[in-house]
Amino acid sequence: MRVGCTGCLTSLVMIGLLATLGTSVWGTSRALEDPAVVRIRPTPEDAARVQQKLFRLVRGAGREPVVISEAEITAFVSRNIDPRDLPFDDPVIFLRDGDRIDIAGRTTLGQLLAESPLGLAQGLLPPQWSARPVWLQLESRARFEREPQPQLRLDVRRLTIGQQRVPAAVLRLLVEPARLRFVRVPLPAAVGDVRIQAGRAVIRPTSSRERT
């Protein structure tokens, strides 16, 4: 597709987004309303446990599946993932049946506009509006890929800004590519499979025969 066509497509999608959000992005829109997100508050013990589990997995110290809870995964992401690789701060991770992973976090209205085709609008916002928190919620389906290297790929199926659902494709228009690295999570060769269930992730290690 030519660059001009890409620009037209972006403009059309953003017009559709604005129509969805209402007459004012920063006024009475549902996009600025706080959703009912149940916060998972991981403890230092959660962080220590997940580190130990992953360390044993990488070393190949066991053959049994490794089970990691929502709190442990949230603790690991909060402490180990570069914030520049995420589109929001203080991520909260929810694990659902059917290999579903939901992620919620907050950014500011100014940051959200700055990274989107609406970046020019950022300069029109009063400072207090620019600093206003905005919730992003992503609903995705996880898929384990063995080749060319083990990774967990997240296919974002739905995006909610505040309390307003918008097409998932809008995420790539609102957020710069560098902050979407989290949709492909590289995994060590010791991981043979990953399954997401309600409240937990089950990681199956590879056998010694599979590694060779």
Side-chain angles (χ1 to χ4, degrees):
M1 182 178 292
R2 293 175 299 175
V3 174
C5 295
T6 303
C8 293
L9 177 61
T10 299
S11 299
L12 289 174
V13 173
M14 292 310 301
I15 290 173
L17 171 61
L18 291 178
T20 302
L21 296 183
T23 59
S24 173
V25 174
W26 53 84
T28 59
S29 170
R30 285 169 53 85
L32 295 181
E33 298 178 8
D34 289 342
V37 176
V38 178
R39 298 301 302 269
I40 298 175
R41 302 188 182 279
T43 65
E45 290 75 18
D46 292 321
R49 278 196 302 270
V50 71
Q51 290 280 14
Q52 293 171 359
K53 291 178 181 180
L54 295 178
F55 181 71
R56 290 197 301 269
L57 177 67
V58 171
R59 290 191 60 189
R63 297 182 180 179
E64 296 299 319
V66 175
V67 178
I68 301 177
S69 69
E70 286 180 342
E72 291 170 346
I73 287 183
T74 298
F76 179 82
V77 171
S78 299
R79 291 170 177 258
N80 295 278
I81 302 301
D82 191 329
R84 293 172 297 182
D85 292 343
L86 294 170
F88 34 55
D89 299 321
D90 300 323
V92 184
I93 300 173
F94 302 95
L95 306 177
R96 317 291 194 192
D97 274 330
D99 288 321
R100 287 177 46 211
I101 299 180
D102 297 346
I103 308 174
R106 292 194 302 176
T107 184
T108 63
L109 182 58
Q111 183 66 36
L112 189 63
L113 291 178
E115 297 182 3
S116 76
L118 295 176
L120 293 177
Q122 182 191 21
L124 303 177
L125 294 179
Q128 62 269 29
W129 282 97
S130 183
R132 181 163 180 168
V134 176
W135 277 93
L136 297 182
Q137 299 180 80
L138 311 178
E139 298 179 30
S140 68
R141 188 170 297 278
R143 183 170 72 250
F144 176 76
E145 296 179 347
R146 185 65 186 171
E147 302 294 340
Q149 62 182 19
Q151 68 173 355
L152 191 67
R153 180 170 181 172
L154 304 184
D155 295 325
V156 179
R157 304 294 181 89
R158 182 172 294 167
L159 169 65
T160 303
I161 305 175
Q163 294 190 22
Q164 180 63 56
R165 289 182 176 177
V166 297
V170 171
L171 179 64
R172 296 188 178 277
L173 298 177
L174 289 176
V175 181
E176 60 183 12
R179 292 168 70 86
L180 291 176
R181 295 192 185 103
F182 72 95
V183 299
R184 293 191 177 186
V185 183
L187 300 172
V191 175
D193 192 24
V194 179
R195 286 290 177 263
I196 306 301
Q197 302 172 355
R200 65 180 195 168
V202 181
I203 305 175
R204 183 179 65 82
T206 58
S207 66
S208 57
R209 180 175 301 177
E210 288 175 314
R211 295 177 196 175
T212 57

